[in-house]
């Protein structure tokens, strides 16, 4: 069984892009015939790299873990845990910091974007943590001998860096890490902001109308989709360059109804934008309805969610300890006393 690892940051509430670009695939993979050995993680240490409120981080971490369970992550099949509860993530990050170079980290586009996105942050006051984010991500992945990383398109560059670091480490210190590969969805790999369809939809974007949250009620979802920016003309056609707004809605519709883009495009080729948007809104509302219902039930039992996370952390720690002994030996650190 292929070992799969992926993570999600508790920087806010889960949004539709996270769901269709990543989480829905994690859920599907659990019951696929070529079943995988999957590990999913709420990466709270990553959420600390931009300005944040401690109480909000605690709440978002719990809500995101609850949402993953509501979305269908089955803790009896997959391993689900919170990153900071397994200390080896930070430990391996430090070791990999001595393999990664300043030059390659400086080229990461997400660092460039995020270092200007947050109010009050200037190039001088950006944290070292934000700069180091991709190294921590590499540590998350390499710590579990991961073979496959199911992620959205926005994380492609970070995944490439994880591969480079694994190969460089193996070359310098001997064969220690499995070199992982990214897997990307065919539809929904990059869901765009509804108000600004040339930027990706994000949890922490300053555009509440542009982002569909998984817990948005049907009226809010419908309002956001009906007020989505479309393009001049009236034709429903997939053309991301010239019609980014309509193409994004086609992408969303195809993803949530499990159809291909040409199929949904053909279905609406003669329709106006109004009817098309109403259909997209309805499809999104229906696909999120069961998730929202399960969330309500799970959120009413926080003790059970804590129990699942504690169990996950214990199992993850046992796997991570084995890899860390290998790493410590390779780089010349004394073994950790038992
Ligand atoms: N718009 C998107 N379309 C498709 N996939 C997406 N993902 C995120 N946004 C989209 C995928 O969701 C997974 C978890 O992402 P993350 O929370 O770890 O980090 P992110 O990519 O930075 O997500 P956000 O929502 O944009 O968070 P903020 O606003 O805090 O930066 C990843 O697999 C990602 O590819």
């Amino acid at each position: 069984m292929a070992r799969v690892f992926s993570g999600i940051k508790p920087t806010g509430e889960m949004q539709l892009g996270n769901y269709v670009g990543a989480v829905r695939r994690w859920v599907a993979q659990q019951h696929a015939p070529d079943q995988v050995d999957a590990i999913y993680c709420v990466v709270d240490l990553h959420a600390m790299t931009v300005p944040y409120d401690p109480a909000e981080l605690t709440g978002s971490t719990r809500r995101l873990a609850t949402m993953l369970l509501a979305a269908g992550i089955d803790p009896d099949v997959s391993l689900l845990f919170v990153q900071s509860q397994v200390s080896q993530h930070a430990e391996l990050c430090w070791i990999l910091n001595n393999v990664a170079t300043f030059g390659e980290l400086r080229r990461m586009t997400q660092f460039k974007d995020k270092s200007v996105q947050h109010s009050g942050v200037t190039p001088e006051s950006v944290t070292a943590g934000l700069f180091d984010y991709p190294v921590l991500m590499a540590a998350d992945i390499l710590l579990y001998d991961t073979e496959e990383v199911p992620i959205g398109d926005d994380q492609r560059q970070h995944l490439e860096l994880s591969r480079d670091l694994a190969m460089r480490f193996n070359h310098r210190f001997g064969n220690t890490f499995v070199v992982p590969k990214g897997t990307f969805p065919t539809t929904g790999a990059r869901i765009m902001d509804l108000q600004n369809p040339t930027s990706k939809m994000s949890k922490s974007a300053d555009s509440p109308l542009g982002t569909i949250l998984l817990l948005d009620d049907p009226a809010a979802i419908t309002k956001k989709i009906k007020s989505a920016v479309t393009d001049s003309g009236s034709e429903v056609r997939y053309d991301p360059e010239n019609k980014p707004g309509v193409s994004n809605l086609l992408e969303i519709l195809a993803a949530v109804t499990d159809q291909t883009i040409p199929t949904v495009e053909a279905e609406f080729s003669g329709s106006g934008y109004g009817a098309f948007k109403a259909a997209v809104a309805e499809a999104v509302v229906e696909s999120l309805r069961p998730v929202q219902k399960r969330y309500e039930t799970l959120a009413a039992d926080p003790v059970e969610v804590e129990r699942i996370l504690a169990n996950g952390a214990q199992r993850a720690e046992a796997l991570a300890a084995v890899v860390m002994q290998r790493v410590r030996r390779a780089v010349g650190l004394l073994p950790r006393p038992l």
Side-chain angles (χ1 to χ4, degrees):
M1 282 203 283
R3 166 67 54 80
V4 166
F5 178 96
S6 205
I8 180 163
K9 281 198 306 274
T11 34
E13 310 307 315
M14 197 191 293
Q15 44 90 6
L16 190 68
N18 302 132
Y19 183 59
V20 302
V23 175
R24 240 168 46 118
R25 284 191 301 141
W26 303 355
V27 171
Q29 261 179 338
Q30 298 179 126
H31 306 290
D34 51 341
Q35 215 193 2
V36 294
D37 176 10
I39 305 178
Y40 300 120
C41 185
V42 177
V43 289
D44 54 348
L45 298 175
H46 285 271
M48 299 170 74
T49 57
V50 292
Y52 75 99
D53 175 77
E56 265 174 38
L57 176 60
T58 312
S60 307
T61 303
R62 292 208 172 100
R63 286 195 298 278
L64 196 57
T66 308
M67 181 53 84
L68 289 172
L69 294 166
I73 297 298
D74 178 348
D76 292 330
V77 177
S78 305
L79 204 162
L80 175 67
F81 72 103
V82 174
Q83 182 189 32
S84 67
Q85 294 185 325
V86 177
S87 57
Q88 286 91 341
H89 288 255
E91 188 184 351
L92 181 56
C93 176
W94 181 254
I95 290 173
L96 292 177
N97 274 337
N98 303 295
V99 177
T101 66
F102 180 75
E104 66 192 342
L105 294 183
R106 205 175 39 183
R107 285 193 290 276
M108 296 291 120
T109 54
Q110 204 176 75
F111 169 69
K112 292 186 202 156
D113 295 346
K114 296 247 183 242
S115 47
V116 294
Q117 186 185 326
H118 292 272
S119 60
V121 175
T122 63
E124 277 303 299
S125 68
V126 156
T127 64
L130 184 65
F131 189 65
D132 206 32
Y133 180 114
V135 182
L136 179 58
M137 178 167 157
D140 300 337
I141 295 168
L142 302 182
L143 195 50
Y144 297 99
D145 288 336
T146 302
E147 292 162 277
E148 290 175 16
V149 188
I151 39 175
D153 205 42
D154 58 314
Q155 294 294 339
R156 204 177 271 273
Q157 197 187 27
H158 288 166
L159 198 268
E160 258 331 292
L161 182 82
S162 301
R163 289 171 51 80
D164 288 346
L165 294 182
M167 287 188 273
R168 196 177 309 150
F169 188 105
N170 287 349
H171 183 69
R172 196 173 298 166
F173 298 107
N175 215 1
T176 306
F177 291 125
V178 171
V179 180
K181 72 174 200 305
T183 60
F184 304 90
T186 41
T187 48
R190 194 177 281 252
I191 298 297
M192 309 309 270
D193 187 291
L194 299 176
Q195 289 298 314
N196 181 8
T198 51
S199 302
K200 78 168 187 122
M201 191 179 281
S202 259
K203 294 183 217 83
S204 55
D206 299 325
S207 135
L209 255 190
T211 307
I212 295 177
L213 302 178
L214 255 68
L215 290 179
D216 276 346
D217 61 33
I221 294 173
T222 306
K223 181 172 169 210
K224 288 177 182 181
I225 292 178
K226 287 199 168 161
S227 51
V229 168
T230 35
D231 319 283
S232 54
S234 57
E235 206 188 345
V236 177
R237 179 164 51 86
Y238 188 72
D239 177 355
E241 205 168 303
N242 299 307
K243 293 172 91 64
V246 169
S247 302
N248 188 35
L249 292 176
L250 280 167
E251 184 104 30
I252 290 174
L253 182 60
V256 301
T257 57
D258 282 323
Q259 297 182 88
T260 63
I261 289 173
T263 307
V264 289
E265 187 182 26
E267 190 183 339
F268 290 95
S269 66
S271 311
Y273 286 166
F276 171 56
K277 283 178 164 179
V280 177
E282 195 187 326
V284 173
V285 166
E286 286 315 314
S287 79
L288 297 187
R289 199 187 291 283
V291 179
Q292 296 182 342
K293 230 175 145 215
R294 277 198 299 272
Y295 182 86
E296 239 176 73
T297 312
L298 285 159
D301 190 359
V303 175
E304 173 61 4
V305 175
E306 293 268 324
R307 189 196 63 76
I308 291 170
L309 294 178
N311 180 267
Q314 221 173 29
R315 289 165 55 206
E317 171 115 40
L319 296 172
V322 174
V323 176
M324 277 314 294
Q325 286 293 32
R326 215 158 71 208
V327 172
R328 294 176 76 95
R329 200 178 315 123
V331 297
L333 297 176
L334 297 183
R336 186 173 246 178
L338 292 173

